[in-house]
Amino acid sequence: AATAPLLAIRDVSTYYGSVAALRGVDLEVGEGEIVTLIGANGAGKSTLMMTIFGAPQARTGSVVYAGQDITRLPTHAIARLGLAQSPEGRRVFPRMSVFENLQMGASLHGGRHFAGDLERVCALFPRLKERLQQRAGTMSGGEQQMLAIGRALMSRPRLLLLDEPSLGLAPLVVKGIFDAIRDLNRQDGMTIFLVEQNAYHALKLAHRGYVLVNGRVTMSGTGRQLLDDPAVKSAYLEGG
Ligand code: ATP
């Protein structure tokens, strides 16, 4: 028998006022998988990410994580359950140093594993290692994105949620970030849910993917199946 998914989103609808941003979304992430959600601007990708964290909450349907219904839990309670998020727009603390930002990520579990986890993040992103004392706000966009991911990793997540890690970055930096995501999955067995506009990279990396259009999942399959799908190709891959 198949084991229960680590994250199960069942028939979720989320509204901003009277406007539906998600309409009956069903999606699963299994332990050890990389799953990606692709879609155009405004499709509702970030809203799904935020709904998992309970802000805004789903109006209907349920979000179940590790067998627990988290649909109505407050965000701070959800964050304690082993999910970590690197939000869109790389929200680092700009006046703090790189090191202090990473400390903030670790503070959730008291920092017992701090030294080892810091070493791992530095190995994954050598750029950060060279800049531990630099103020985060003076780092380049790509470096801040690495820091946002590194900070999420410091909380030792069982499930890492990434919202558009490639946004606005040069191709070489994007490649570095996607390589790091692959390593985390292969070497640490970390489960990763990745929201991306960069469909090509995301589908190449992911075991499975979902396509979101106007708040609805219109297609799902393995990364390979979606990459080869003519409709996905014409809507998300051409010219990309
Ligand atoms: P992008 O790739 O451009 O970030 P997205 O797929 O992440 O897009 P969302 O940010 O989830 O899309 O937005 C989905 C829809 O919900 C859009 O129509 C957006 O205008 C709307 N929306 C998002 N946030 C709010 C809000 N706080 N209040 C009202 N409407 C919102």
Side-chain angles (χ1 to χ4, degrees):
T3 52
L6 184 56
L7 178 71
I9 292 167
R10 302 265 185 250
D11 198 23
V12 159
S13 296
T14 300
Y15 288 73
Y16 295 107
S18 60
V19 180
L22 296 176
R23 307 155 194 257
V25 170
D26 282 296
L27 182 154
E28 289 185 355
V29 182
E31 187 107 54
E33 272 192 310
I34 302 177
V35 173
T36 189
L37 177 70
I38 63 170
N41 281 112
K45 303 182 301 297
S46 296
T47 300
L48 181 63
M49 213 55 135
M50 294 188 292
T51 298
I52 294 168
F53 272 86
Q57 285 188 355
R59 189 171 293 178
T60 63
S62 64
V63 180
V64 176
Y65 170 76
Q68 182 179 356
D69 189 332
I70 62 171
T71 321
R72 306 271 166 248
L73 286 186
T75 300
H76 63 86
I78 295 169
R80 276 195 231 108
L81 298 176
L83 301 76
Q85 184 183 28
S86 176
E88 183 181 349
R90 43 186 105 98
R91 276 172 227 129
V92 300
F93 301 105
R95 290 168 184 282
M96 291 187 183
S97 69
V98 169
F99 181 79
E100 287 164 340
N101 268 275
L102 293 173
Q103 267 182 325
M104 296 291 289
S107 61
L108 272 176
H109 53 80
R112 266 178 301 130
H113 311 276
F114 184 76
D117 290 351
L118 181 65
E119 210 167 292
R120 181 176 71 157
V121 168
C122 287
L124 214 49
F125 299 117
R127 281 290 183 96
L128 297 182
K129 186 177 186 172
E130 297 160 9
R131 287 154 204 275
L132 285 174
Q133 300 313 322
Q134 186 172 330
R135 286 222 300 184
T138 65
M139 306 241 290
S140 77
E143 290 163 354
Q144 289 189 35
Q145 189 60 271
M146 292 171 196
L147 179 56
I149 297 170
R151 192 179 59 190
L153 292 176
M154 293 300 287
S155 71
R156 310 193 129 226
R158 184 169 170 198
L159 174 62
L160 177 63
L161 305 164
L162 297 169
D163 196 351
E164 306 220 14
S166 76
L167 191 71
L169 302 181
L172 207 62
V173 181
V174 171
K175 185 176 182 308
I177 286 179
F178 278 80
D179 285 349
I181 295 169
R182 176 174 281 133
D183 287 351
L184 282 169
N185 176 257
R186 290 218 181 132
Q187 288 163 25
D188 301 30
M190 190 177 289
T191 306
I192 295 164
F193 180 49
L194 170 71
V195 166
E196 258 299 338
Q197 261 196 72
N198 193 331
Y200 178 74
H201 276 100
L203 291 173
K204 281 207 82 162
L205 178 73
H207 300 109
R208 293 188 306 109
Y210 294 82
V211 179
L212 193 67
V213 178
N214 239 321
R216 288 181 213 278
V217 171
T218 57
M219 253 189 275
S220 64
T222 64
R224 187 75 250 168
Q225 284 168 341
L226 292 175
L227 270 178
D228 291 341
D229 187 281
V232 172
K233 272 188 184 162
S234 67
Y236 303 105
L237 300 175
E238 253 139 49

